[in-house]
Amino acid sequence: MACLTRGGAIRAVAWLMAAVLTVAACGGGLDDAGGEDVLAERIAADIPVMNGSTSTLPVRMFIGCALLDVACGWETFMDGSRHVLASDDALSDVFREVVPSSGTHGSYVALAEGRADLILTARLPSDDELDLAATNDVEFEIAPVALDGFVFLVNEANSVEELDLDQIRGIFSGSITTWAELGGGDRPIQPYQRNETSGSQVLMKSLVMGDIPMIDAPNMMLPSMMAPFDAISRDVDGIGFSVYFFATEMLANDEIRLVRIQGVEPDSSTIRSGEYPLITEVYGVLRASTPPDDTARLLRDWLSTDQGRAVVEASGYVPVS
């Protein structure tokens, strides 16, 4: 934990509510929250607003369903996207209120400005977000709640199955321009990027590129997490990036393939073991001034218990051990 300043079948989850109650009854390391069977009731009576990145919406929905004691699960839409929906349509307004999804940057802004109580994001705050927090006299308190992998996407028809990090840096810096240089066909590489404030773009720079500048190609900049998948499914020469959870749980697209990195296949087992070289954490972020008995803090801390980790895993993420 750290305080940072500027310097398609329905998978029922009613059992998750029972897990929450078990935590309350057993203490679960949160005895100061009241112990016995009051913890779940306290959180459910005052559910914190849980904003976050697009890729964390499913786990936030699973948490909300547990607290509201309703079933929820995955459904696949016509465009191939998969979403977690609650079984009770009457609660749709409640879910819109307590589980908004403003994206990574938008959720940090919402937390800094007091419009969210807890956010789950796939990256640490940027300098601009820390500056905004400081302007609002806010410090972010951050703890990892899940693990994910940073992955690279190619069209299924692309013959290149493996890349190393130097090759990826070459592609996105412009020094490698054809697939033939990587053992593929003699065709130009189309390297897609995301917008500058997106979690994926920030992770690309911090995990892979470092100080190496990326190609300045506004026409290759895509505005949403779905956009790289849409573009690459139609472009046999395309390559893009995302996070493993979004690519495997939140989409159903047989035209996209994840490449091996340094010879390692991205999957939950290699992420869990640390073998996959591009592992990133999913963070639960609070304002540092959040009181100890506030339900946002109780919920964030509950995610580190055995029962909380079970909810994380049920959503498809790899829990922090």
Side-chain angles (χ1 to χ4, degrees):
M1 183 183 300
C3 294
L4 294 188
T5 63
R6 175 64 180 88
I10 291 290
R11 183 193 302 167
V13 293
W15 65 270
L16 297 180
M17 191 62 182
V20 178
L21 290 169
T22 302
V23 177
C26 298
L30 298 174
D31 290 333
D32 56 348
E36 296 302 316
D37 48 348
V38 299
L39 175 59
E41 287 134 356
R42 288 177 62 188
I43 298 175
D46 184 22
I47 299 176
V49 175
M50 298 177 286
N51 209 322
S53 57
T54 303
S55 60
T56 69
L57 180 56
V59 69
R60 288 182 283 117
M61 284 292 296
F62 271 73
I63 294 167
C65 286
L67 293 172
L68 293 169
D69 197 17
V70 297
C72 68
W74 291 99
E75 286 195 358
T76 302
F77 284 55
M78 291 288 291
D79 63 356
S81 63
R82 301 179 71 236
H83 302 267
V84 174
L85 300 180
S87 61
D88 189 343
D89 291 339
L91 292 172
S92 58
D93 289 341
V94 175
F95 275 99
R96 274 193 291 270
E97 180 179 347
V98 301
V99 193
S101 200
S102 303
T104 305
H105 176 67
S107 63
Y108 272 114
V109 172
L111 186 62
E113 294 180 347
R115 294 181 285 108
D117 304 311
L118 168 67
I119 65 173
L120 300 185
T121 71
R123 65 160 170 81
L124 293 170
S126 67
D127 286 346
D128 288 345
E129 291 154 0
L130 291 172
D131 284 340
L132 176 64
T135 299
N136 288 276
D137 295 321
V138 168
E139 293 183 4
F140 294 137
E141 182 181 305
I142 301 174
V145 298
L147 300 176
D148 204 347
F150 190 66
V151 297
F152 288 85
L153 327 165
V154 296
N155 189 284
E156 177 61 31
N158 191 321
S159 62
V160 174
E161 297 185 349
E162 179 179 332
L163 295 169
D164 62 38
L165 293 178
D166 286 337
Q167 290 171 328
I168 293 170
R169 294 182 189 109
I171 291 170
F172 285 92
S173 66
S175 63
I176 296 176
T177 59
T178 70
W179 287 109
E181 298 171 73
L182 303 169
D186 190 14
R187 298 176 62 87
I189 297 173
Q190 301 280 17
Y192 293 96
Q193 301 184 41
R194 287 291 318 284
N195 51 296
E196 285 299 315
T197 60
S198 74
S200 299
Q201 189 80 355
V202 172
L203 285 172
M204 177 63 172
K205 291 182 175 182
S206 62
L207 287 177
V208 180
M209 302 302 292
D211 295 332
I212 301 172
M214 295 177 70
I215 302 168
D216 183 15
N219 60 317
M220 302 298 289
M221 198 76 67
L222 301 175
S224 69
M225 289 197 76
M226 275 287 291
F229 296 85
D230 291 339
I232 294 167
S233 67
R234 298 188 300 268
D235 184 357
V236 69
D237 300 317
I239 183 171
F241 45 82
S242 187
V243 289
Y244 176 77
F245 179 84
F246 187 87
T248 59
E249 295 287 345
M250 297 182 70
L251 285 177
N253 191 329
D254 294 336
E255 297 171 311
I256 297 292
R257 178 166 46 79
L258 308 185
V259 298
R260 294 190 299 273
I261 304 298
Q262 312 281 111
V264 180
E265 194 82 33
D267 59 37
S268 58
S269 65
T270 58
I271 292 170
R272 191 186 306 272
S273 69
E275 182 184 2
Y276 185 68
L278 296 174
I279 293 174
T280 183
E281 292 175 319
V282 177
Y283 302 98
V285 189
L286 301 165
R287 290 182 291 275
S289 59
T290 303
D293 61 348
D294 189 278
T295 53
R297 182 175 295 280
L298 298 181
L299 180 54
R300 199 281 305 274
D301 292 348
W302 173 75
L303 290 172
S304 67
T305 68
D306 287 344
Q307 291 81 7
R309 287 193 291 270
V311 174
V312 170
E313 189 152 27
S315 74
Y317 271 112
V318 176
V320 176
S321 59

